[in-house]
Amino acid sequence: MSWLTEARFGLFVHWGIYASAARHEWVKSYEQLTDAQYQPYFDHFEPDRYDPEQWAEDAWNAGMRYLVITTKHHDGFCLWDSELTDYSAPHTPWGKDLLAPMVSAFRERGFRIGLYHSLLDWHHPEFPVDLYHPQRKDVARELEAGIDRTAGRDVSKYADYLHGQVRELLTGFGTIDVMWFDFSYADRGFNAKGPDEWRSAELLAMVQELQPEILVNNRLGLGSGDFTTPEQVQPPGNEVAAGNGTQVPWEACQTLNGSWGYHRDNHDWKSPALLIRMLVDSVSKGGNMLLNVGPDGRGAWEPRALEALAGVGSWMRLHERSIRGCGPSAYLPPADCRYTQNGRRLYLHVFAWPMGHLHLPGLGDRVEYAQFLHDASEVKRMTVDPAAPAHTYLTGLPENTLTLKLPNRAPEVASCVIELFLRD
């Protein structure tokens, strides 16, 4: 786990022919499109602006250190040249494998490599129609009329296909650091699927045999996995744990605007300042943040995504050591603040700028020096005399409280960090 908890910040990429629809990666299910209605996105997929080296550079400059790329999403379209299907990038007008150059470019830049692979497949003829499948309402109506044209579908044959594709991915692209499966949904409703249908235990054993050092997430339906994956939420604490109550690593996967795939008309974009606070919040609770970009149909990252990542990257260049290699602290931060810690260095992230002072319980005798991280300028420490007149000086502070004297104006950074050097 050391590399994952050292990195703390990764890039998620959701990309496929749904980028051409430009209205969410679940568009086929949400709009209940038939295969024929969805086919034009395949027939016209030609990402001529695809530049994986530039993707890697932009992600590196944002402070990201590992990649998770959607090899196949729920629609069944594959980015690589799979021997098991023609429903893949080399059979579109683009005519080439998209995954291999991406893995190569990111690995060369210094990234760890993770592969997302959907357990679902709405294109495969043996995948039984269920509550998420685009044909769900048509099948339901036919069943009411006593007709079932999907009765011959065999999930065990689909599972063979699923396992075969995962084997291709784990034998054809060198060392893979993360296998990110998505998702099990047993007992949720009509034809719901879980570990029995995927043959998850068998699948996991194969993954671990092919790549013994790989990390596998928690979505096979077998428990917490090597790490858990809260989605589109910031956990309220660092209590994300395995079933036996022990702590396991976790990774909050987040979007820039609420959509994973490219969504042209979605304008609900998070600001760089909010993204930074989400990253800090994750690390302060012992977690990672996996931030998603959805390239468009021509293979480019849209300007709004690049602007957001540039803002985070600008902050990370000055404050990286308060994130990379850090984790939670046992000390209780003041209101509107977070702590991250790496050994004797304690980082106070100030989300809301106070008037004059910050009071840090339990640190009165523990700090030998304090400075703003962005410019290494000293932050003055104070010892408050509890016997001083109440109308003149600070009173009522708990014993062993460290008081920091702050300027009235906050430093001009997206989120201020004070670096505290602790005594042995």
Side-chain angles (χ1 to χ4, degrees):
M1 280 298 165
S2 59
W3 74 261
L4 185 68
T5 53
E6 169 71 21
R8 288 303 186 198
F9 189 26
L11 169 69
F12 216 173
V13 176
H14 277 65
W15 195 36
I17 57 175
Y18 46 77
S20 299
R23 52 187 189 274
H24 205 282
E25 75 286 350
W26 274 64
V27 60
K28 188 175 185 181
S29 176
Y30 286 170
E31 300 181 13
Q32 298 174 48
L33 303 177
T34 64
D35 286 347
Q37 290 171 321
Y38 202 68
Q39 187 64 27
Y41 307 133
F42 181 94
D43 293 340
H44 296 274
F45 189 63
E46 192 171 4
D48 59 316
R49 296 186 64 201
Y50 174 50
D51 187 346
E53 288 79 11
Q54 187 62 54
W55 287 15
E57 190 66 22
D58 289 334
W60 187 272
N61 290 340
M64 296 159 161
R65 293 296 181 265
Y66 63 103
L67 165 73
V68 178
I69 170 66
T70 53
T71 60
K72 181 201 78 170
H73 206 262
H74 310 329
D75 64 352
F77 176 76
C78 303
L79 294 187
W80 81 101
D81 190 10
S82 175
E83 295 182 0
L84 301 178
T85 183
D86 290 342
Y87 202 56
S88 62
H91 295 88
T92 67
W94 178 246
K96 291 177 284 187
D97 187 307
L98 290 167
L99 183 60
M102 193 186 316
V103 169
S104 177
F106 275 80
R107 184 177 284 138
E108 184 173 342
R109 189 63 182 86
F111 285 79
R112 296 276 186 158
I113 303 299
L115 303 180
Y116 167 110
H117 195 72
S118 175
L119 300 170
L120 292 70
D121 195 317
W122 300 326
H123 181 78
H124 197 280
E126 298 291 351
F127 187 87
V129 175
D130 58 26
L131 69 162
Y132 296 121
H133 198 284
Q135 297 178 34
R136 58 190 177 273
K137 287 191 176 179
D138 291 338
V139 169
R141 282 192 293 267
E142 290 174 353
L143 287 174
E144 289 179 1
I147 303 169
D148 186 0
R149 280 180 281 187
T150 66
R153 297 191 180 203
D154 186 344
V155 74
S156 66
K157 292 181 180 178
Y158 170 70
D160 290 339
Y161 172 80
L162 169 65
H163 288 219
Q165 286 207 314
V166 172
R167 179 175 290 276
E168 284 185 344
L169 291 169
L170 296 183
T171 56
F173 296 91
T175 299
I176 302 301
D177 301 288
V178 170
M179 198 70 212
W180 215 104
F181 289 111
D182 193 29
F183 61 103
S184 286
Y185 47 102
D187 303 321
R188 290 194 189 178
F190 171 57
N191 269 354
K193 300 175 180 63
D196 291 342
E197 286 74 25
W198 320 129
R199 304 203 307 264
S200 293
E202 177 189 338
L203 180 58
L204 178 61
M206 181 186 72
V207 168
Q208 293 172 332
E209 178 185 0
L210 294 174
Q211 300 267 355
E213 301 300 318
I214 201 167
L215 302 178
V216 182
N217 73 336
N218 64 320
R219 300 195 180 190
L220 281 172
L222 297 175
S224 61
D226 293 315
F227 62 99
T228 62
T229 54
E231 180 173 336
Q232 298 282 51
V233 295
Q234 289 298 117
N238 61 352
E239 74 283 352
V240 179
N244 60 8
T246 58
Q247 184 71 32
V248 296
W250 59 271
E251 171 191 77
C253 48
Q254 302 284 6
T255 59
L256 290 169
N257 66 350
S259 178
W260 299 99
Y262 176 63
H263 197 320
R264 183 192 61 209
D265 300 326
N266 184 331
H267 302 291
D268 192 21
W269 288 75
K270 301 176 181 72
S271 69
L274 177 57
L275 294 170
I276 291 164
R277 292 187 182 196
M278 291 163 60
L279 174 59
V280 169
D281 183 64
S282 295
V283 177
S284 76
K285 297 169 181 174
N288 285 28
M289 186 166 81
L290 185 65
L291 184 61
N292 182 77
V293 173
D296 66 22
R298 294 186 66 183
W301 292 9
E302 60 178 308
R304 293 174 294 185
L306 291 171
E307 181 181 354
L309 294 185
V312 176
S314 178
W315 183 87
M316 280 289 285
R317 279 188 287 278
L318 296 175
H319 302 91
E320 180 177 17
R321 69 177 183 245
S322 71
I323 297 295
R324 201 88 67 214
C326 287
S329 175
Y331 293 104
L332 181 67
D336 299 318
C337 297
R338 298 287 189 277
Y339 279 137
T340 61
Q341 187 168 352
N342 189 347
R344 291 178 55 236
R345 299 194 184 208
L346 179 64
Y347 297 96
L348 176 63
H349 300 259
V350 185
F351 288 173
W353 197 249
M355 196 287 287
H357 304 90
L358 264 176
H359 308 294
L360 313 182
L363 290 170
D365 60 357
R366 294 285 294 120
V367 176
E368 65 181 27
Y369 189 70
Q371 65 180 18
F372 286 120
L373 182 54
H374 69 283
D375 66 355
S377 61
E378 183 184 11
V379 176
K380 284 289 189 178
R381 292 166 290 143
M382 297 175 56
T383 300
V384 176
D385 181 0
H391 69 280
T392 307
Y393 296 101
L394 298 164
T395 61
L397 297 175
E399 187 177 351
N400 197 28
T401 295
L402 174 67
T403 296
L404 302 178
K405 179 69 175 74
L406 301 181
N408 288 331
R409 187 180 180 89
E412 293 186 1
V413 291
S415 187
C416 181
V417 183
I418 298 171
E419 187 173 36
L420 305 168
F421 296 81
L422 303 180
R423 293 188 173 92
D424 290 328

